[in-house]
Amino acid sequence: MRGKEFMAQNLSEVLLSEEQIKQRVHELGEQISKDYEGKDVILVCILKGACIFFSDLARAMTIHMQMDFMGISSYGNAQKTSGIVRITRDMDLSITDKHVIIAEDIMDSGLTLTHLTKLLSSRNPASLRICCLLDKPERRECEITPDYCGFIVPNKFVVGYGLDYCGEYRNLPYVGVLKKEVYSEK
Ligand code: IMP
Ligand code: MG
C-alpha cells in the first residue's frame, strides 16, 4: 500500500507542521481581511498547487469576497519551471475594477507570477496583490516579491499541503522536504 507512511518515508524532514501552517494561514486571513475591509475582493486560486492553501485562507478571511480559479501549466521539468506559462483554465469573473488577490503555493524563480501579474494587470483590476504560502527567495530570477507570504523556506524541494512532485504528495497535511534520491531516481 502506498499510503501516507510511504509518502512520509520519502521526506528528509518535516519543514512546517500542520499546526504551524494552520496558525500562519489564520494570521494571513486576518491581515488580508483588515487590509481589504469594505472592498470588492476576488481571491484567485492558482491550480493546482494552491488548492489547499486557498481553501484554508478563504475560510480564515472574514470579509465578503468572490472566488475564482486559474489553471496554469509551465513548461520545464518537475523541479524547475521554464518560465513559459500556459493558461489551461482562465477565470470566469471579470476582474476590471476589482481588488484581486492571487493565492499561490510558492514563489521560486518568480517567472510564473511575473508572467501572470502582467497578464492580469492588462485586464485593469483596481489592485492586484500576491499571497504565497511559501517563498524561496534564494532562487529568484526576476524582481518580484509576494505582498503576503506565509513562510520563507530554504532552497530545498518541498512537497505537501498542495505542493507536488510529479502530481503526488499534495494531500500531505504538512510541508516536508523531498529526499534527493526520490527525484533523481525518476
Ligand atoms: P517559479 O515560476 O519558479 O516561481 O515557480 C513556481 C511554481 O513552481 C510553483 O507554483 C510550483 O508549482 C513549482 N515549485 C517551485 N518550487 C517548488 C517546490 O519546492 N516544490 C513543489 N513545487 C515547486
Ligand atoms: Mg504550482
Side-chain angles (χ1 to χ4, degrees):
M1 272 285 279
R2 300 210 317 155
K4 283 197 174 163
E5 297 76 21
F6 168 82
M7 291 197 274
Q9 277 167 20
N10 286 341
L11 305 178
S12 57
E13 63 179 299
V14 173
L15 201 59
L16 303 165
S17 70
E18 222 177 319
E19 200 46 49
Q20 271 176 294
I21 297 171
K22 193 174 168 189
Q23 197 191 325
R24 185 69 188 119
V25 172
H26 199 83
E27 286 169 7
L28 284 173
E30 278 188 345
Q31 181 67 53
I32 294 173
S33 302
K34 218 183 271 173
D35 295 351
Y36 285 86
E37 213 184 326
K39 292 189 171 146
D40 276 337
V41 170
I42 301 180
L43 186 64
V44 184
C45 175
I46 306 304
L47 298 168
K48 301 170 188 162
C51 63
I52 304 208
F53 173 49
F54 170 85
S55 313
D56 285 344
L57 180 67
R59 284 177 292 180
M61 285 167 63
T62 52
I63 50 169
H64 175 83
M65 62 150 167
Q66 287 177 293
M67 295 177 179
D68 211 338
F69 300 84
M70 217 163 167
I72 294 220
S73 150
S74 60
Y75 297 100
N77 61 34
Q79 297 110 57
K80 174 131 187 36
T81 168
S82 62
I84 301 165
V85 177
R86 191 166 55 96
I87 307 293
T88 55
R89 183 207 187 275
D90 205 345
M91 298 173 58
D92 295 322
L93 300 170
S94 161
I95 61 168
T96 305
D97 299 330
K98 297 284 169 70
H99 295 277
V100 177
I101 305 167
I102 301 172
E104 173 61 311
D105 54 359
I106 185 166
M107 191 183 281
D108 190 36
S109 70
L111 291 164
T112 304
L113 281 161
T114 299
H115 183 91
L116 194 64
T117 48
K118 257 187 218 155
L119 173 77
L120 295 185
S121 297
S122 71
R123 298 178 184 177
N124 299 314
S127 69
L128 179 62
R129 281 187 179 164
I130 299 166
C131 178
C132 283
L133 175 71
L134 309 176
D135 184 11
K136 233 192 249 180
E138 276 178 60
R139 299 246 308 169
R140 202 73 88 248
E141 288 174 30
C142 32
E143 262 189 53
I144 184 168
T145 39
D147 300 284
Y148 300 96
C149 164
F151 303 91
I152 304 267
V153 294
N155 186 7
K156 293 176 174 175
F157 194 79
V158 294
V159 292
Y161 198 73
L163 290 111
D164 74 308
Y165 172 64
C166 294
E168 296 174 3
Y169 302 92
R170 292 194 202 275
N171 64 324
L172 278 177
Y174 51 86
V175 171
V177 176
L178 195 65
K179 284 182 183 165
K180 276 219 172 80
E181 56 262 36
V182 176
Y183 50 85
S184 47
E185 272 168 13
K186 285 221 180 181

